[in-house]
Amino acid sequence: MFILWRVLGFGEDPQLRDRLVRVETKVESTETDLRALRGEVRTLSTEMRECMGQLIGGMKAVKAIGAAIVGLITVIGTVAAALFAYPPFCDWFGHLLHGGHP
């Protein structure tokens, strides 16, 4: 930067040179901060992907549990329908509902 400074013909003015040094320092600091922020963004992106994977896995587990419950209800309904289609079971169940009295 100092070479450019001299090529442009600003000479050796101490105030302008100090100001240039301050600006360079701020630019370097900003570049350092930018590199740090890029690292943070990468880290957050990785963590977000992991969380999304866990969330999707949990949703799949809930879906599987729901499917199992629906399957169980279907089996129970099928067995109940088969039992109620059998007349002696209907008689026994009717007897049970009346407290065991005819």
Side-chain angles (χ1 to χ4, degrees):
M1 190 83 161
F2 288 117
I3 294 171
L4 179 62
W5 183 259
R6 287 193 178 142
V7 169
L8 293 175
F10 291 112
E12 293 294 328
D13 186 359
Q15 288 179 335
L16 291 175
R17 185 179 178 122
D18 289 343
R19 188 168 181 190
L20 178 63
V21 169
R22 285 195 307 270
V23 168
E24 283 182 334
T25 303
K26 285 184 180 181
V27 167
E28 289 172 0
S29 174
T30 302
E31 289 172 346
T32 302
D33 292 346
L34 181 60
R35 279 192 294 275
L37 286 173
R38 284 182 180 152
E40 285 293 323
V41 167
R42 268 188 238 109
T43 302
L44 289 173
S45 177
T46 302
E47 290 175 0
M48 187 178 72
R49 266 189 249 116
E50 290 172 0
C51 287
M52 288 299 290
Q54 291 175 355
L55 182 63
I56 291 171
M59 290 170 60
K60 286 180 181 179
V62 167
K63 181 180 175 184
I65 291 169
I69 290 172
V70 167
L72 181 63
I73 290 171
T74 303
V75 168
I76 291 170
T78 303
V79 169
L83 286 174
F84 280 107
Y86 184 61
F89 178 78
C90 289
D91 294 341
W92 174 82
F93 190 73
H95 182 70
L96 184 69
L97 287 178
H98 293 314
H101 302 292

